[in-house]
Amino acid sequence: MTLVSGPDKAAVKAYLLDLQDRICQALAAEDGGAGFVEDSWVRSEGGGGRSRVLTNGKVIEKGGVNFSHVHGTQMPASATAHRPELAGRSFEAMGVSLVIHPHNPYVPTSHANVRFFIAEKEGAAPVWWFGGGYDLTPYYGNEEDVVHWHQTAKNACDPLGEHLYPKFKKWCDEYFFLKHRGEARGVGGLFFDDYNAENFDHSFALMQAVGDSYIPAYVPIVNARKAAAFTERERDFQLYRRGRYVEFNLVYDRGTLFGLQTGGRTESILMSLPPLVRWEYNWQPDAGSPEAELYEKFLPHREWLK
């Protein structure tokens, strides 16, 4: 980890608050029904945030877009487990995290997150990094949508380094993978962490590029699929596949673990969970069915861009 001085925490926070505003405005406009309800909270150990949740909209069954800025005198175990040299430092963590669960099974669930972390100690240079990304979880695969998603991600990264999209795409494939199931959660996108390459301005610009590209990546897919007709069969499959989302977030997700270990607000941390979900014992899709196609064509890792 490179030790660098001079990160602009105020600029990062201002960007994140504005990003939350812009994403909520765009998603509420696309939904055309319910708006986001804001719930501000304070963390007793230091910091707080504002959670915004949209429920039972015309398009979005449940969506949450959270901003948090927390700080403390001791790094949590989730952060020092792979970085023991940071034990004993104070920390600040800020970010925007969102999950959108649509009603229509033909509209994919999406997740996005951008974050900044800094650990400080008197007499030593601060240690800081950025992280984030976004991933798409379709229930019924559509290659046009997935290519658009990945092309938008690549277009966001390329101006800051053409090596970044392939690296972050691979990282996303590996991260959002349910090892106990032996399958991907969805069709991937971008994931990066511990990023402080070159200098603060470059790293901050990358986080902004990823954050700014989420709406152009997701809203056109929602717009194209939200009016698709579906039956109880498709809805049942959507609820079954949502179970994978729950399993990943509760077993593997770093953000969930960090939030719980730092005494974050539980309601905000778990807002990513879908409102309805179902599990079935040893369920298997019918051969040749659209449900089987998801497992055979879309969930296996592949390169979507030619």
Side-chain angles (χ1 to χ4, degrees), residues 5 7 13 17 37 52 66 71 84 93 106 119 127 197 203 236 250 289 301-302 305:
S5 61
K13 184 172 183 177
L17 288 167
V37 176
R52 292 179 179 168
N66 289 347
H71 49 86
Y106 288 101
V127 178
S203 301
D236 283 347
L250 295 183
S289 67
H301 296 159
R302 57 181 277 196
L305 303 180

Side-chain angles (χ1 to χ4, degrees), residues 89 115 154 175 246 267 272 288:
R89 285 177 175 253
R115 56 192 179 273
K154 184 178 187 298
Y175 180 71
V246 174
E267 284 299 308
S272 61

Side-chain angles (χ1 to χ4, degrees), residues 173-193:
D173 286 342
E174 294 172 349
Y175 180 71
F176 291 105
F177 189 82
L178 288 88
K179 300 178 184 66
H180 62 286
R181 295 282 189 181
E183 67 185 44
R185 186 171 83 171
V187 295
L190 301 172
F191 180 86
F192 67 99
D193 205 359

